[in-house]
Amino acid sequence: MNRIIVLDGVKAAAILLIVFIHLYNYLMHHPFTGHHDLIALLSFLALAGFTFVSGYTIYANNTVIRTQEDITRFYRKRVLRVYPLYLVALATFFICFQVLRLPPSLDLSPIGWLINALCLQVLFAPAFTDPVFTLWFIGFIVVLYLIYPAIIMFSRTTRDIILISGGIFALLAALHLLLGIVDLRLLQYYIFFIAGILTARSGITFSRVEAGFQGRGAGIVAVSYAAYGVYLFHMPAFAVAAAIIGRLGLPWYLYDAAMYVVVPALFAVAYGIQRSYDLHIRTKTEQEK
């Protein structure tokens, strides 16, 4: 599937919202003080947008899964795309928030860290563990990837997709109500993943909007491309920056200005990391062929 600028725009807007919402926790002068409902709404919309785009792109790139080979290929691609960088991010969270005790500090047990490392946190929370801050969303996406082949393999029509995905939702909801497992957020955002699948299946390509961006939108694509790395590492980056800049004794406006500068630097580094990682994976895949 070729890049769709509308979806890149949704991802770009979502990651910018999330980054600035979390940045405000490290500022001395909070521009949205007292607007907790607005912040919660913007956060919800950002994550819903991410989830919708994931559903759309997964279906657009994997419309047919029929054999064991198809399933293996799908999982391998997803694991290579998501998991290694996730483990690096999880280790960074462990060092920053549990070892160094940077605020907000963590105090998870070894079992809790293992569950998070296996991306099972949204399935076992809240009964058995607490997800590690923002990284719960990666565990959520991984669960969706695990579920996806089951939805597509046994679906021949849109009605089949709705029925199977609805059955999975009912099972997860029952586990949450009866056993106290399955993070409620999985149920809240799962619907947007299915909506993305159904939108892609319906053939909606946003072509009219795309026409208006011909020859433009490079910045949107760049922000979208860096989004995964930015999401993984923005909290440790802000925590470390706040600890260092806080020692300089700057007045609040200079301190806040310095923290804002961290944002474009974070995007630049994340873009470079993602590009290098994708090149490495592409080279390795070609060598295996």
Side-chain angles (χ1 to χ4, degrees):
M1 183 189 81
N2 295 325
R3 300 197 76 96
I4 298 177
I5 194 68
V6 172
L7 300 182
D8 280 321
V10 172
K11 282 181 65 178
I15 192 60
L16 287 169
L17 276 174
I18 289 169
V19 163
F20 282 106
I21 287 170
H22 292 159
L23 173 63
Y24 294 150
N25 295 323
Y26 294 93
L27 298 179
M28 290 185 180
H29 178 69
H30 198 309
F32 286 113
T33 300
H35 298 281
H36 302 297
D37 291 341
L38 175 61
I39 292 173
L41 174 61
L42 292 176
S43 180
F44 176 81
L45 292 175
L47 294 177
F50 266 133
T51 309
F52 176 87
V53 171
S54 294
Y56 188 104
T57 55
I58 285 294
Y59 184 83
N61 289 307
N62 304 274
T63 56
V64 177
I65 296 180
R66 292 287 180 262
T67 66
Q68 185 64 45
E69 184 179 351
D70 291 337
I71 296 173
T72 301
R73 188 184 304 112
F74 173 81
Y75 283 144
R76 184 177 185 275
K77 185 177 180 180
R78 293 300 102 200
V79 167
L80 287 175
R81 173 69 177 170
V82 172
Y83 198 58
L85 289 177
Y86 168 75
L87 286 181
V88 174
L90 189 67
T92 305
F93 272 72
F94 175 75
I95 293 170
C96 289
F97 300 114
Q98 184 138 335
V99 176
L100 299 179
R101 311 298 293 176
L102 296 177
S105 61
L106 282 166
D107 192 23
L108 281 183
S109 68
I111 295 297
W113 283 104
L114 178 61
I115 291 174
N116 278 269
L118 296 174
C119 290
L120 298 175
Q121 61 268 56
V122 296
L123 292 178
F124 287 96
F128 298 104
T129 190
D130 292 317
V132 174
F133 297 149
T134 52
L135 296 186
W136 75 268
F137 189 72
I138 309 305
F140 163 66
I141 291 295
V142 169
V143 169
L144 297 182
Y145 292 162
L146 290 173
I147 291 172
Y148 179 78
I151 296 175
I152 298 305
M153 278 191 71
F154 302 105
S155 297
R156 297 294 183 272
T157 65
T158 298
R159 181 175 178 272
D160 292 339
I161 292 177
I162 294 172
L163 289 175
I164 293 172
S165 60
I168 293 171
F169 179 89
L171 174 61
L172 294 172
L175 291 173
H176 177 77
L177 293 172
L178 298 175
L179 301 179
I181 59 174
V182 181
D183 193 308
L184 187 60
R185 291 171 294 186
L186 192 161
L187 300 174
Q188 290 175 330
Y189 292 103
Y190 174 82
I191 298 170
F192 294 97
F193 181 73
I194 303 304
I197 292 174
L198 295 176
T199 302
R201 181 178 174 81
S202 70
I204 296 175
T205 59
F206 311 101
S207 56
R208 290 185 179 180
V209 181
E210 292 285 304
F213 283 92
Q214 282 189 340
R216 293 175 288 180
I220 293 174
V221 172
V223 172
S224 172
Y225 183 74
Y228 183 56
V230 171
Y231 187 88
L232 287 176
F233 295 103
H234 71 278
M235 275 196 68
F238 290 158
V240 171
I244 294 172
I245 297 171
R247 292 178 177 273
L248 301 179
L250 300 174
W252 72 265
Y253 51 89
L254 290 180
Y255 169 89
D256 283 4
M259 288 299 299
Y260 277 115
V261 170
V262 173
V263 175
L266 176 62
F267 272 93
V269 172
Y271 184 93
I273 291 174
Q274 190 68 62
R275 190 174 181 83
S276 298
Y277 181 73
D278 288 346
L279 179 61
H280 171 73
I281 294 301
R282 192 179 305 116
T283 302
K284 183 178 179 181
T285 302
E286 290 174 354
Q287 289 174 347
E288 289 177 354
K289 292 180 180 179

